[in-house]
Amino acid sequence: MASFPATRHSVVAGIASSDPQVRRVAFDTLISAYWRPVYKYVRIKWHADRDDAADLTQEFFSRAFEKNTLERFDPARARFRTYLRVCLDGFVANEHKAASRIKRGGGVSFVPLDFAAAETELAGLHPSPGDNGASVPGADDDTFFRQEWVRALFTDAVAALHDLCVAAGKETHFAVFQRYDLEHDTGARPTYAQLAAELGIPVTQVTNYLAFTRRELRQLLLERLRALCATDAEFRLEARDLLGVDPR
Amino acid sequence: MSVLSDAAIRRLQEAADAPDLSGTKYVALDRIAQGGMGTVYRVRDRELGRDVALKVIRLPEASPDIAARMLREARTLARLEHPGIVPVHDVGRLSDGRVFYAMKLVRGAPLDRLPTSTLADRLRIVERICEAVAFAHAHGVIHRDLKPQNVMVGPFGEVLVMDWGVAKLVGDVSSLGSLEGGGEVADLVVEAGAPTTGHGVVLGTPGYMAPEQAAGDPALVDTRADVYALGAILRDLSHGAIADPGPKSRRATPARPLEAIIQRAMAAEPRERYQDVMALARDVAAFRAGEPVSAYRENLFERARRFTVRYSTPILLVLAYLVMRITLLAVRGR
């Protein structure tokens, strides 16, 4: 998995930097956050086969880097995520028209992208997309792209949380989080008492460990989100959307 | 790590936004509502063994101004001890830094989801809202966001005015005090007389917001803005249940006096409205009781009709007595 680079400054500002090093780091960060949704979007919404989707994904970022496409983003007009998707649509449409996909993945190389892993994710979420992709019923383009972007963001934050817990010797903390918040897609969520018995810790520790991991996850998510937004207003809007789930 | 399902992401979204209640006497039970600046959870108070509602500032709104506003809401509520205003039990900061306050867990339904009831019942609800709002006005608090969604009606008919987050304080607010450890939050709150809403910032809800409030100048907003909103609530309720008013063609047209009350309460110019909430409440109560209202001048026919309706029982008794007497006289005369 391409990990999220350490920088937490606004990536959107960074890609417009005159300093090549800053710009490069910003692009790496941007790609780390967006390549999965971009790949899945091209696969599903543009019905591209695996190889084409992988090529188009690499070429999209490569072209954006070379031609400064993303630097023209105007925060007053849209969210960055929406702008990026619109750019992607334009890019893929042009590629289809020109049918000139001979030299993709061009001269610039970025963080390594694990397309096989993305394909496995896609197969798990949208069964049988097939080699030519398939449409996802009920999801418009923007909803689908956002959904996959959120998934990438959470996947990355959870991986970072895991690394953080392991590094700090808090594996049991992560185990509590994993059992209580991550797993049980099927079946009931375990009770605190069940978890305490399962992991051999007092019930009070279960709630403390959960509070710790949730706090860290929140921090990791907000850090990443802040880096991917151009303005404070956009950050607040995205964060509110991201964490403001409807009451059940 | 395996791919995160949509269900797992929803759980993580909730988990990330969940308040960190460690070190408090509360245990989270479930999320019950979400407002503009805070999320409300049902929590168990372990010490008192009761469930309460805990309002926690939403992420990422932990900025000092939003925190100050929520704290101000808690303190505003705390000094308004009235059966029609939800009582606050506790206020503070969670270990994750977010401001919270605990309040009574209100059971029931918001006014906009109230099932069908009689007009008299609905008018009584309006009167009770007026009583709570008038009490707040008397204590220097203007609600500024009165609407059906912000009024809860309990299972025993109790009426509670909620969501005082954008309330305006007038007069001396120094009694609000400061929150220990609240630093910048407290500083913002106790600046007596300082406007907390900037010029051009519109707070309120379209359809219930008085024109002067919609203009965005807080200096223009006084208690009569709440009168306007109450008029809008009365308008909604005069047609039937807000949740299910029925087809437009079959909705009850309010009687002329009631229509006049609504119009006066919702006059565009504040000086043409009821000048205080209790004046509105008195007119609503008078209408409900079949008495004349100050907002409407009746003609002779309407007055006679209202008199007849109001005193229908004694009139019928007198008529029955007269018919009986005449009949007896007629029988004796044969």
Side-chain angles (χ1 to χ4, degrees):
Chain A
M1 181 187 300
S3 64
F4 202 88
T7 179
R8 292 291 175 264
H9 301 298
S10 171
V11 170
V12 184
I15 58 174
S17 171
S18 56
D19 181 336
Q21 182 60 27
V22 172
R23 186 163 181 262
R24 182 55 194 245
V25 170
F27 252 89
D28 277 344
T29 310
L30 186 83
I31 294 168
S32 297
Y34 276 103
W35 76 266
R36 276 196 210 88
V38 165
Y39 173 78
K40 291 176 188 173
Y41 184 81
V42 174
R43 274 282 278 140
I44 297 291
K45 292 294 178 181
W46 283 93
H47 307 285
D49 65 31
R50 294 170 192 194
D51 292 341
D52 260 2
D55 282 354
L56 284 163
T57 301
Q58 296 200 78
E59 183 64 10
F60 170 68
F61 287 117
S62 187
R63 197 81 66 80
F65 185 78
E66 287 168 352
K67 295 192 179 297
N68 306 331
T69 325
L70 301 177
E71 294 166 26
R72 289 175 219 137
F73 167 65
D74 177 3
R77 296 181 65 184
R79 299 184 195 202
F80 182 74
R81 170 168 49 81
T82 308
Y83 177 73
L84 188 138
R85 185 188 60 75
V86 171
C87 287
L88 176 63
D89 278 337
F91 167 76
V92 180
N94 281 338
E95 286 290 290
H96 277 192
K97 270 188 209 159
S100 58
R101 299 183 301 249
I102 301 157
K103 186 173 175 289
R104 286 213 190 102
V108 189
S109 58
F110 295 102
V111 284
L113 310 182
D114 187 354
F115 290 114
E119 195 59 39
T120 309
E121 283 183 17
L122 206 50
L125 295 165
H126 311 292
S128 311
D131 279 347
N132 296 319
S135 59
V136 177
D140 61 42
D141 293 356
D142 203 48
T143 306
F144 177 81
F145 190 72
R146 180 190 180 276
Q147 201 173 314
E148 292 309 318
W149 173 74
V150 168
R151 197 184 318 282
L153 199 68
F154 272 90
T155 303
D156 185 60
V158 169
L161 177 67
H162 174 260
D163 294 348
L164 184 149
C165 288
V166 170
K170 295 179 187 291
E171 286 89 348
T172 314
H173 289 62
F174 190 80
V176 169
F177 167 77
Q178 190 165 22
R179 291 282 291 114
Y180 197 79
D181 282 335
L182 262 189
E183 296 177 351
H184 72 78
D185 265 7
T186 54
R189 172 180 259 178
T191 63
Y192 292 156
Q194 283 169 337
L195 271 184
E198 189 181 309
L199 297 167
I201 52 175
V203 173
T204 49
Q205 289 294 65
V206 171
T207 53
N208 287 341
Y209 288 3
L210 259 184
F212 169 81
T213 46
R214 286 172 167 183
R215 188 169 58 236
E216 292 300 324
L217 177 72
R218 179 163 59 234
Q219 190 62 25
L220 291 163
L221 280 169
L222 292 177
E223 275 176 9
R224 278 155 177 71
L225 204 56
R226 191 181 286 279
L228 294 171
C229 294
T231 62
D232 196 49
E234 187 187 359
F235 164 64
R236 287 186 178 284
L237 204 60
E238 288 285 22
R240 207 176 295 138
D241 283 357
L242 193 72
L243 300 176
V245 288
D246 291 327
R248 284 175 300 178
Chain B
M1 183 182 302
S2 61
V3 58
L4 294 177
S5 66
D6 292 344
I9 290 174
R10 272 196 297 278
R11 282 197 304 277
L12 290 176
Q13 284 176 315
E14 281 190 25
D17 193 34
D20 181 357
L21 299 179
S22 56
T24 71
K25 60 180 180 177
Y26 304 108
V27 180
L29 297 174
D30 49 23
R31 182 192 288 242
I32 52 177
Q34 197 162 277
M37 62 182 174
T39 305
V40 183
Y41 297 87
R42 187 167 66 92
V43 299
R44 166 66 51 86
D45 179 336
R46 282 181 298 199
E47 287 177 6
L48 293 174
R50 65 176 178 182
D51 291 355
V52 296
L54 195 80
K55 187 168 184 175
V56 183
I57 203 160
R58 276 179 73 182
L59 286 168
E61 308 287 18
S63 63
D65 54 336
I66 299 289
R69 181 169 289 169
M70 200 158 111
L71 199 55
R72 197 169 60 93
E73 178 182 20
R75 288 179 172 140
T76 302
L77 283 171
R79 71 176 190 171
L80 296 178
E81 288 182 45
H82 186 275
I85 297 171
V86 64
V88 165
H89 303 313
D90 189 11
V91 65
R93 275 180 190 273
L94 299 176
S95 55
D96 61 15
R98 285 190 275 173
V99 171
F100 78 92
Y101 69 82
M103 57 187 156
K104 178 185 174 182
L105 182 65
V106 179
R107 300 174 201 277
L111 201 51
D112 60 329
R113 278 191 259 149
L114 201 66
T116 311
S117 54
T118 64
L119 178 63
D121 285 346
R122 299 195 300 274
L123 294 177
R124 182 72 193 113
I125 288 172
V126 173
E127 288 168 51
R128 297 183 76 169
I129 303 169
C130 287
E131 287 160 11
V133 174
F135 179 84
H137 288 178
H139 287 76
V141 180
I142 306 168
H143 189 288
R144 291 198 296 185
D145 196 18
L146 291 168
K147 56 184 174 183
Q149 294 88 335
N150 284 344
V151 176
M152 291 288 285
V153 181
F156 301 103
E158 60 270 40
V159 176
L160 284 142
V161 180
M162 317 282 291
D163 210 340
W164 295 75
V166 298
K168 177 181 175 181
L169 303 181
V170 288
D172 177 27
V173 293
S174 56
S175 61
L176 292 176
S178 63
L179 180 69
E180 197 174 338
E184 76 286 10
V185 173
D187 290 345
L188 275 168
V189 172
V190 297
E191 281 175 25
T196 49
T197 307
H199 194 287
V201 178
V202 177
L203 298 170
T205 304
Y208 299 90
M209 200 177 354
E212 70 273 17
Q213 192 175 340
D217 183 356
L220 296 176
V221 175
D222 59 23
T223 55
R224 292 171 296 182
D226 280 351
V227 170
Y228 183 96
L230 288 164
I233 293 174
L234 181 61
R235 170 203 61 200
D236 290 355
L237 287 174
S238 67
H239 293 297
I242 297 174
D244 182 22
K248 208 165 186 176
S249 56
R250 289 175 58 192
R251 278 180 215 166
T253 307
R256 282 183 187 172
L258 183 56
E259 190 66 53
I261 295 172
I262 295 166
Q263 279 176 12
R264 181 181 282 187
M266 295 184 72
E269 285 294 327
R271 67 173 180 276
E272 289 170 9
R273 291 177 209 149
Y274 293 99
Q275 294 303 295
D276 64 77
V277 169
M278 283 318 290
L280 167 62
R282 278 193 296 273
D283 253 5
V284 173
F287 175 77
R288 188 168 57 86
E291 293 169 0
V293 302
S294 72
Y296 186 70
R297 182 174 296 211
E298 297 170 319
N299 59 33
L300 201 60
F301 174 74
E302 287 170 324
R303 196 177 300 174
R305 187 162 164 256
R306 183 175 51 73
F307 182 87
T308 311
V309 171
R310 189 177 177 203
Y311 296 106
S312 54
T313 307
I315 289 171
L316 279 173
L317 285 172
V318 169
L319 280 176
Y321 173 76
L322 288 175
V323 167
M324 203 165 64
R325 290 285 300 183
I326 291 165
T327 309
L328 280 172
L329 283 172
V331 169
R332 280 185 194 164
R334 278 187 188 172

